[in-house]
Amino acid sequence: MKEEDYTRLTLKLAKRANPFPNPRVGAVLVKDNKIIGEGYHKKPGMPHAEIEAIKDAKRRTGNPQAAKGATLYVTLEPCSHKNKRTPPCTDAIISSGIVKVVFATKDPNPLVSGAKALRKAGIKVVGPVAGRKAAAINRRYIKNISTKPFIAIKMAMSADGRTATRTGDSKWITGKKARQYVHRLRGQFDAVMVGANTIKIDNPRLTARTKGFSNPYRIILDSDLCIPLDSKVLKNKDGKTIIATTEKAPRKKLARYTNAIVCGKEKVDLLRLVQGLSAMGMKKILIEGGSELNASAVNAGIVNKLYLFVAPKIIGGRDAKGVIGGEGIGKMKDAMMLKNTKTRKFGDDLLLEFDVR
C-alpha cells in the first residue's frame, strides 16, 4: 500500500466516529509496510483515534512497544493541549516511540499545536496531505469553531465609579441580593473568566452556588503562573478550572497544572483563547476580571454585553481603580458607544445592562 492508501483508510475510519462537538478522527499505525493498528474517536471523553490505534497495535502484536519505529497516519493534526477530559495525544505519540506522523488536515482549533510539539520532540511530521477531504468530514466541527462565542463583562462599582478601595479591598461593593443574582448569572454561562490578580486578591471559588444551575468552567488568565497553588478555585474537584498562560511561564510551574493552555508569547492572546474555548463548546463566557482584563477584552473586540452593578456608596481615592483600565482614549469622539440600555434593581443596588455591539 502507498501513503495515500493509508490516508484514505484513516478517512474511512473517521466516518465511523461520532464524538461531536469533538472532531471525527481516524488513525492507522504502520510498521514495515504493514498495518499494525487502527482506531477512531468513538465518543466524547473516550480515547482519541491515535490512542486507539496505539492500543490496537499492542493487542494485535502482544508487544507493549509495538508502536516503536512506526508511522502514524491520522486525519487531523494530533492535539497537544491539556484542557480537556483526555490527555494530549502528542504525549502518547512521543512516549510510544513513533518516528513519523502524517496528518490529512490541520486542526482549526487555535489552541492545538500538535505538529509543532511533535517536531520539537524529533518526530518527522508530514501534512496536510488531504486537507479538503478531511475538512469535509468535519464540517460541523469547523463551523463550531468559526462561530464566535457570546462574551459579557460583569462588574460592580460604587456611585463614583470605583471597583475597589485604594488598597484593593472590594468586599463587598454590592448587597446580598445583587450577589445572589450574580451566582444565578454565572449558572447561565458556560465559562467564567478572571485575571490572576482577582484570584490573588479575592481568592474566589467562581462557582454558581445556586440550586438548579451547574458550575461553569473557570478560565484563569495567568501569564506568569503566579497564582498560589492553594487558591480556592484550584481546589474545585470538577476538573473545570483552566489556566491560560504564555510561553514565558516557567516550565516547572506549568507541569504542576493538569488543565493548562499556552496561548501567547508575553501576554495571553484573548482572541485566540476565546476561539479555542468556543471549539470546546463554551459559547457563553462571562468576564469577571479587573479593569485591565476588561480593557484587554474590549480592545480585542470580543465583548458583546456589559453588566454593571452600581452601589449607592462613595469610595473615592485617586488610586482606586475603575471598571475599564488600559491606556484609554484621548478624545471623547473616540469613545465606544453602548446600546440598548436596560436597568434593574436588586435591593439598593442598580444593575445597568448594555449591548456593546
Side-chain angles (χ1 to χ4, degrees):
M1 293 179 69
K2 298 179 180 179
E3 283 202 336
E4 52 265 35
D5 295 323
Y6 296 129
T7 296
R8 274 195 291 270
L9 180 55
T10 65
L11 295 171
K12 185 177 180 180
L13 287 166
K15 291 178 181 178
R16 297 167 62 183
N18 187 28
F20 190 79
N22 298 327
R24 302 168 74 190
V25 182
V28 173
L29 202 57
V30 177
K31 190 174 182 179
D32 298 327
N33 296 319
K34 293 181 180 180
I35 295 174
I36 61 171
E38 300 178 3
Y40 61 91
H41 188 188
K42 297 181 176 68
K43 294 180 180 180
M46 294 186 70
H48 288 188
E50 299 94 323
I51 310 303
E52 292 283 16
I54 293 171
K55 288 181 177 179
D56 187 41
K58 293 177 181 179
R59 286 192 295 265
R60 290 191 189 192
T61 64
N63 179 9
Q65 302 295 321
K68 188 174 183 179
T71 296
L72 176 70
Y73 294 85
V74 62
T75 54
L76 191 69
E77 176 187 12
C79 64
S80 60
H81 53 307
K82 298 180 180 180
N83 52 298
K84 50 192 178 61
R85 285 179 285 180
T86 54
C89 289
T90 50
D91 288 358
I93 293 169
I94 294 167
S95 63
S96 70
I98 289 171
V99 296
K100 181 180 177 181
V101 174
V102 180
F103 66 91
T105 191
K106 184 174 176 60
D107 194 323
N109 183 342
L111 301 182
V112 173
S113 54
K116 181 179 177 180
L118 293 173
R119 290 190 178 103
K120 189 175 180 180
I123 295 174
K124 184 178 181 180
V125 180
V126 179
V129 297
R132 185 176 297 180
K133 292 180 180 179
I137 294 173
N138 281 305
R139 282 190 293 265
R140 283 201 304 169
Y141 173 67
I142 294 170
K143 183 179 179 180
N144 192 39
I145 290 177
S146 62
T147 302
K148 294 181 180 179
F150 175 87
I151 298 179
I153 289 176
K154 188 281 298 180
M155 287 294 289
M157 71 176 191
S158 61
D160 59 334
R162 305 300 200 273
T163 60
T165 68
R166 59 182 172 80
T167 64
D169 182 29
S170 61
K171 292 185 178 179
W172 297 103
I173 292 178
T174 54
K176 185 176 181 180
K177 289 185 178 180
R179 297 198 301 273
Q180 287 175 337
Y181 175 73
V182 169
H183 291 306
R184 295 197 300 271
L185 187 65
R186 284 177 187 162
Q188 297 171 34
F189 281 78
D190 301 314
V192 173
M193 182 184 295
V194 302
N197 282 338
T198 297
I199 300 300
K200 289 192 290 185
I201 295 171
D202 296 337
N203 196 20
R205 293 188 184 277
L206 297 178
T207 51
R209 297 202 292 277
T210 302
K211 188 175 181 180
F213 291 94
S214 59
N215 288 329
Y217 277 87
R218 298 166 292 274
I219 316 300
I220 317 300
L221 274 64
D222 189 356
S223 298
D224 303 303
L225 293 180
C226 61
I227 64 171
L229 288 174
D230 60 353
S231 299
K232 290 179 181 177
V233 74
L234 297 179
K235 292 183 177 180
N236 292 312
K237 302 298 184 181
D238 56 10
K240 285 185 158 185
T241 298
I242 296 173
I243 309 296
T245 189
T246 63
E247 294 178 11
K248 70 177 182 179
R251 299 297 99 180
K252 289 184 179 179
K253 283 189 176 182
L254 186 61
R256 299 174 186 172
Y257 299 95
T258 55
N259 291 352
I261 303 169
V262 176
C263 188
K265 292 185 177 181
E266 297 293 324
K267 294 182 178 180
V268 174
D269 185 331
L270 273 175
L271 181 58
R272 179 181 165 195
L273 174 61
V274 298
Q275 287 175 332
L277 296 177
S278 177
M280 295 168 60
M282 300 180 208
K283 297 303 181 183
K284 293 184 68 179
I285 301 171
L286 182 64
I287 297 176
E288 294 192 58
S291 62
E292 294 305 311
L293 174 54
N294 293 342
S296 297
V298 169
N299 292 335
I302 62 174
V303 181
N304 302 94
K305 194 176 186 68
L306 174 63
Y307 295 94
L308 183 58
F309 289 90
V310 183
K313 298 176 181 178
I314 298 293
I315 293 177
R318 65 177 62 89
D319 295 325
K321 292 186 178 295
V323 174
I324 306 293
E327 185 177 345
I329 60 172
K331 296 182 178 181
M332 282 302 300
K333 67 180 182 66
D334 297 324
M336 176 180 290
M337 299 303 296
L338 304 177
K339 303 176 181 178
N340 302 327
T341 305
K342 297 179 182 178
T343 61
R344 299 173 64 182
K345 284 202 71 177
F346 293 91
D348 292 329
D349 302 316
L350 184 66
L351 171 59
L352 303 178
E353 297 183 31
F354 304 95
D355 290 340
V356 177
R357 57 186 175 90

